[in-house]
Amino acid sequence: MAREQVSSILRAIQILECFTDVETEWTLKALVDQLDLPTTTVFRQVSTLASRQYLVQDPVRKSYQVGPRLVMLASSILSQSDLRRLARPELERLSDAVKETINLSILIDHDIFYLDKVETHRSIVCNTRIGSRAPAYATSSGKVMLASLSEKEIDRFCCWMQERAKPLTDRTITDPEKLRAELKIAQVQGVAIDDGEIEEGLICYGAPIYDMDGRVTAAVSISGPGYRMQEEKEFMLREIRKTATNISRLLGYPCSTHPSNSDLASDRQSGIISTGDRHKEA
């Protein structure tokens, strides 16, 4: 393939990657400024993407949004996900056990991407949906996946965070050093906690899912109102660890080395304090 064609494809991908849950709509000028590309180049690319319905243009505001063909492609990918298919029964089992919202997610760049979600009759409304993204630094799933990265990768994430992280609530951690402390706790405990950091009044417990090569490939989380999640904390943490272990086993991970349910007791004995406990002590 000619170099010009490869460059054109890469520019189209750059444009599509600008569209997120936070930035759902872009004008031509905003895309030009964001990508630092010539106006004619960006115009040519968005025109092509719009003609193929990967983007659609608002006739009044002249801004662009994700089009139906891109949504259809994303839905096709989600429906064929082996991880999602294998994990689904375990997510449903966990939902039946804890009666709260369950999410399955993966790490993409600086965000988590929600692959699946299970709700129950007593689930509170969470601002998550399948196919949406959320900042990794503000979520329990994001923290446990970030905790599995190398020191260099964590350094790069923290450098980005220093410049780009924005608070979503009064509790959102935007200080890279505070995040590093959270990641160290997650590495030891095998779970991470989001205490109202992505949504006021919401507590989430997340645990990592391992693949057959021992890499953290995804995370599962429980989300619920703070009062219930605190009251049933030990039960929730035990169940989230159990579910993560079961899904990891389905992916071929030798679970004899996976964090066990007894870790909760050892955490308490070692004096490790969770995010939620620190908030209560503050």
Side-chain angles (χ1 to χ4, degrees), residues 18 28 44 47 63 66 89 122-123 125 146 165 190 234 272-273:
C18 288
L28 178 64
R44 186 166 58 248
S47 296
S63 56
V66 169
R122 78 166 189 169
S123 295
V125 177
L146 289 172
E234 290 192 26
I272 295 171
I273 303 172

Side-chain angles (χ1 to χ4, degrees), residues 10-249:
L10 290 175
R11 284 193 291 269
I13 291 172
Q14 284 181 297
I15 290 169
L16 292 176
E17 288 179 342
C18 288
F19 293 85
T20 66
D21 286 345
V22 178
E23 303 286 351
T24 61
E25 194 170 342
W26 291 81
T27 62
L28 178 64
K29 184 180 184 305
L31 285 170
V32 168
D33 292 343
Q34 175 73 12
L35 299 172
D36 195 23
L37 291 172
T39 300
T40 53
T41 299
V42 177
F43 176 74
R44 186 166 58 248
Q45 292 289 340
V46 296
S47 296
T48 300
L49 290 168
S51 71
R52 297 292 298 168
Q53 293 186 305
Y54 286 96
L55 296 177
V56 292
Q57 186 179 34
D58 185 289
V60 177
R61 295 192 298 272
K62 302 299 182 184
S63 56
Y64 294 90
Q65 296 176 317
V66 169
R69 192 175 290 271
L70 192 60
V71 174
M72 183 173 63
L73 183 61
S75 299
S76 175
I77 293 170
L78 284 172
S79 67
Q80 295 176 29
S81 168
D82 284 342
L83 170 60
R84 188 180 182 217
R85 176 177 56 80
L86 290 171
R88 183 70 189 192
E90 286 299 322
L91 302 183
E92 292 176 348
R93 184 206 64 78
L94 179 60
S95 177
D96 288 341
V98 302
K99 304 295 189 294
E100 301 292 356
T101 299
I102 311 302
N103 285 300
L104 176 70
S105 59
I106 58 174
L107 185 65
I108 299 180
D109 298 327
H110 308 108
D111 297 333
I112 64 168
F113 178 86
Y114 293 102
L115 279 178
D116 208 351
K117 180 177 183 178
V118 181
E119 295 180 289
T120 69
H121 68 278
R122 78 166 189 169
S123 295
I124 64 170
V125 177
C126 301
N127 293 324
T128 62
R129 64 182 184 277
I130 298 172
S132 68
R133 294 167 73 136
Y137 59 82
T139 64
S140 61
S141 291
K143 290 176 189 176
V144 291
M145 289 188 280
L146 289 172
S148 73
L149 300 180
S150 68
E151 284 300 319
K152 286 186 177 180
E153 289 171 317
I154 292 174
D155 287 343
R156 283 197 294 270
F157 184 90
C158 286
C159 286
W160 170 87
M161 187 179 174
Q162 184 75 48
E163 300 293 327
R164 304 292 296 275
K166 298 178 182 178
L168 303 177
T169 73
D170 290 342
R171 291 179 179 266
T172 305
I173 295 173
T174 56
D175 181 345
E177 293 312 309
K178 289 183 179 179
L179 179 69
R180 287 181 192 274
E182 293 291 315
L183 300 188
K184 289 186 182 300
I185 292 171
Q187 289 167 351
V188 175
Q189 291 185 333
V191 292
I193 300 174
D194 148 27
D195 187 359
E197 296 160 51
I198 192 169
E199 196 171 326
E200 294 283 357
L202 191 73
I203 288 182
C204 308
Y205 301 136
I209 295 170
Y210 296 81
D211 65 15
M212 64 186 300
D213 297 317
R215 296 184 298 242
V216 173
T217 189
V220 58
S221 65
I222 306 171
S223 301
Y227 69 93
R228 282 207 302 255
M229 298 297 280
Q230 287 287 6
E231 288 174 358
E232 304 175 37
K233 181 177 179 181
E234 290 192 26
F235 171 67
M236 296 286 185
L237 292 179
R238 183 172 66 248
E239 288 298 316
I240 197 72
R241 280 182 166 126
K242 178 180 176 181
T243 298
T245 297
N246 290 345
I247 298 173
S248 297
R249 185 182 293 113

